[in-house]
Amino acid sequence: MRNRFTQRWALVACVALLAASVGGDEALPRLSAATGASLSSCTQLPTAFRFANTTITSAESVPSGGLTWGGRSVEAHCLVKGEMYRRTSPQDGKSYAIGFEMRLPGAWNGRFFYQANGGIDGSVATAQGGGGPVPTTALQQGFAVISSDAGHSGPSDPSFGIDFQARLDYGYQAAAKLTPMAKALIAAAYGKPPDRSYFGGCSNGGRHTFVAMTRMPEQYDGYLAGAPGYRLPLAAIANQFGAKQYATVATNPSDLSTAFTAAERATVSAAVLARCDALDGAADGLIQDTTACQAAFDLGRDVPTCSGARDGRCLSAAQKAAIAPIFSGAVDGRGRRFYASFPFDSGHDSADSSYWEFFVPLMIDSGGTAMIWGVPPADPATFNGPAYALTTPIDAMLASVAATNGTYTESALSFMLPVEPTNLARLKNRGAKVIVYHGVSDAIFSVDDTTVWYEGLRAANGGDASSFARFFRVPGMAHCAGGPSTDQFDMLTALVDWVERGRAPESVVAHARGAGNAVGVNRDVPSSWSPDRSRPLCPYPKVARLRPGATDLATADSFRCQ
Ligand SMILES: [Ca+2]
């Protein structure tokens, strides 16, 4: 008897372990599924809806087809525009407000989507959800969606950083102010608040999502972060470190792209592919095993060193010396890495890479560092972006984004970054879920930075965070989209299925946007690929590998995550 009893308990323990390994944490609660409702109020909202510090400026019915995505009509909905916290700045005397729009579908699915926008915010992007070249938008799927300017106007003007409150709104406060207002407006329009709420975006929108994960873990049930620039000020300084490196080998000092031309970047991508493409079992132009590739590839050894003049098919020894530290990770004056390494991949010559590498550090990162994050801020009237990026010591930049004074009492590293991003216990324990994706060839926010975060999250959760947070690396993908990649996927549906139906995403199918793609053609898709090639995206640390015996490189079915 004793033996049988012991065996039985061993079996029970075994089954429990198996359940934990395949299904995740049994102890986590499952949130109930949302139920839909019909829009009961639209044009009356400017007078009928009352919320503190809020003005609804207009509400109009948009007919089906008044907005389209991917060649398909967005169904009839209500477009509400408004603003919160109109005020005059004590620093620059200008008028500020948090501008927003909400789009409320006539046939609502019971869910709210907070669309976090990219760049330095400053404009109200069309509130339809997304964050990349998604096949269908959140609005098309029936979500009520909000979009905002995060508290200032001007998507390419960093001088809002003179106003301290505008810094805080951009960092984290606008989302916190908009969230309860948006839920109340939904209740006014439909007769009930949202059953389930989701927060998502790419780039700075991914940063907003990381911030929301840590500052608003009770307000949202699902968080979808793409290419999260969650340490944005440090990424911007790292990019200016890169500009300084390029400047040492640029043949035309006023054009940094002469340091590392498109032909030379294509040569590096080809050399990486030669070393790494087949590591996943398929020589298909995609490097699935990013980690193994970093050990296999060596810039010094695998890219020819020019013996004479540069011809695009080699790098000079000076170029290699200048470029290698950008990949291995920007360092401060004492040689300490302050951001992340960048992995070698197949997309270093993608269409947008020269923008991020050579234009952005001089014209965008510099202004952000000096005016939005630096204390004290630079004077917008005399600011010179390229001069700032190329002549300000890295240590001075790092000190300024960590500084405070009597006016700017919270530093950029405090208001821009998530609070303890590897401590997500509050959202985890109430049943909320997190999905993060990041392009491996992203030239501005490094997928390695996100990998380090996810490894930290795993470590903080006993070595496995997959019961509530999953991270998908997208081989070849540039910043949020593009690159020689399968960059079209619907992670929002995967997230809803996980939150509301308990179906954790074991993989997500992604498609290339070749000729004929309805949302827009990705010009980086190689002509040798099937135009709508598909691949499974795999939750880290799994990678997609060719199934034994499979030969069809056009389809995801030939691959499995392992
Ligand atoms: Ca491959």
Side-chain angles (χ1 to χ4, degrees):
M1 278 303 284
R2 185 169 167 272
N3 248 355
R4 284 182 64 188
F5 183 82
T6 310
Q7 280 171 4
R8 191 171 161 199
W9 276 105
L11 185 67
V12 168
C14 210
V15 168
L17 273 174
L18 192 65
S21 68
V22 298
D25 198 329
E26 294 295 308
L28 297 180
R30 164 104 55 90
L31 298 172
S32 60
T35 56
S38 296
L39 189 67
S40 59
S41 178
C42 177
T43 53
Q44 311 92 308
L45 287 169
T47 49
F49 178 66
R50 290 278 176 270
F51 198 86
N53 304 300
T54 303
T55 303
I56 302 298
T57 51
S58 68
E60 60 176 301
S61 296
V62 180
S64 176
L67 186 66
T68 62
W69 177 269
R72 289 202 305 118
S73 291
V74 174
E75 294 305 306
H77 61 275
C78 178
L79 169 58
V80 181
K81 294 184 178 181
E83 62 178 40
M84 297 185 79
Y85 292 92
R86 172 65 63 184
R87 64 192 173 78
T88 299
S89 166
Q91 281 89 39
D92 65 14
K94 295 178 183 172
S95 182
Y96 287 86
I98 303 169
F100 67 87
E101 74 170 43
M102 290 187 72
R103 291 181 185 259
L104 309 172
W108 180 46
N109 66 12
R111 303 182 181 100
F112 167 45
F113 186 80
Y114 186 106
Q115 171 185 322
N117 294 314
I120 59 170
D121 283 294
S123 68
V124 181
T126 303
Q128 52 185 340
V134 291
T136 61
T137 64
L139 184 61
Q140 281 175 319
Q141 295 178 20
F143 287 74
V145 183
I146 191 170
S147 166
S148 91
D149 61 15
H152 63 273
S153 294
S156 56
D157 180 5
S159 68
F160 76 85
I162 303 304
D163 179 68
F164 180 53
Q165 183 59 48
R167 291 185 175 208
L168 301 182
D169 284 338
Y170 171 55
Y172 64 95
Q173 292 189 0
K177 293 167 181 169
L178 288 161
T179 293
M181 184 283 300
K183 291 184 176 183
L185 183 71
I186 287 169
Y190 294 102
K192 71 168 189 175
D195 293 326
R196 300 271 76 93
S197 297
Y198 295 83
F199 194 110
C202 201
S203 188
N204 174 60
R207 179 195 68 83
H208 278 304
T209 308
F210 266 50
V211 170
M213 277 155 43
T214 62
R215 289 188 183 267
M216 293 191 284
E218 279 84 26
Q219 290 295 323
Y220 291 91
D221 306 308
Y223 300 80
L224 177 55
Y230 73 100
R231 301 199 292 161
L232 216 170
L234 300 179
I237 295 172
N239 214 32
Q240 293 169 88
F241 171 92
K244 294 175 191 290
Q245 294 292 112
Y246 289 132
T248 64
V249 288
T251 54
N252 176 353
S254 64
D255 179 3
L256 288 185
S257 74
T258 60
F260 194 20
T261 65
E264 290 164 341
R265 284 179 277 124
T267 293
V268 171
S269 293
V272 179
L273 275 170
R275 276 282 168 193
C276 301
D277 191 353
L279 294 175
D280 50 36
D284 61 349
L286 281 167
I287 298 164
Q288 303 288 350
D289 197 339
T290 301
T291 303
C293 181
Q294 306 319 300
F297 179 77
D298 185 283
L299 181 71
R301 179 195 64 205
D302 295 332
V303 174
T305 303
C306 305
S307 52
R310 289 166 52 188
D311 64 0
R313 291 172 295 182
C314 58
L315 294 177
S316 70
Q319 279 180 294
K320 288 185 177 182
I323 292 163
I326 297 172
F327 283 96
S328 62
V331 293
D332 68 10
R334 291 161 60 183
R336 296 172 301 190
R337 206 158 70 183
F338 60 86
Y339 178 57
S341 55
F342 282 80
F344 289 101
D345 193 35
S346 59
H348 302 304
D349 53 323
S350 64
D352 77 354
S353 62
S354 75
Y355 170 78
W356 294 112
E357 295 281 324
F358 310 123
F359 176 83
V360 166
L362 304 184
M363 304 308 295
I364 295 179
D365 292 328
S366 52
T369 307
M371 282 179 263
I372 305 173
W373 306 314
V375 173
D379 180 355
T382 57
F383 185 71
N384 180 319
Y388 177 88
L390 295 174
T391 64
T392 307
I394 292 294
D395 288 3
M397 294 182 188
L398 290 169
S400 76
V401 301
T404 60
N405 66 19
T407 302
Y408 303 93
T409 53
E410 186 172 352
S411 78
L413 295 185
S414 172
F415 68 73
M416 289 296 289
L417 274 60
V419 184
E420 290 191 90
T422 58
N423 178 3
L424 301 182
R426 283 163 68 195
L427 74 81
K428 171 187 175 182
N429 291 335
R430 54 178 288 273
K433 307 297 182 198
V434 174
I435 291 181
V436 179
Y437 63 89
H438 203 141
V440 179
S441 284
D442 192 323
I444 179 66
F445 298 139
S446 175
V447 70
D448 286 354
D449 202 39
T450 306
T451 304
V452 167
W453 161 76
Y454 192 70
E455 286 290 357
L457 189 68
R458 297 175 85 201
N461 286 275
D464 184 1
S466 66
S467 65
F468 71 101
R470 297 192 179 199
F471 167 43
F472 297 80
R473 301 202 282 201
V474 187
M477 190 170 83
H479 186 54
C480 295
S485 67
T486 55
D487 69 351
Q488 187 163 52
F489 42 82
D490 182 4
M491 296 260 183
L492 180 57
T493 295
L495 184 58
V496 170
D497 281 346
W498 195 8
V499 170
E500 302 183 22
R501 298 181 185 91
R503 294 185 205 134
E506 304 302 336
S507 69
V508 174
V509 175
H511 290 262
R513 291 181 296 120
N517 186 276
V519 170
V521 171
N522 169 14
R523 55 191 162 149
D524 294 324
V525 172
S527 57
S528 59
W529 290 14
S530 163
D532 64 346
R533 161 186 280 201
S534 60
R535 287 291 181 276
L537 302 177
C538 301
Y540 177 92
K542 291 181 178 178
V543 299
R545 297 188 190 282
L546 192 67
R547 292 179 186 275
T551 55
D552 183 359
L553 295 181
T555 174
D557 295 340
S558 297
F559 294 80
R560 62 184 175 190
C561 296
Q562 59 183 153

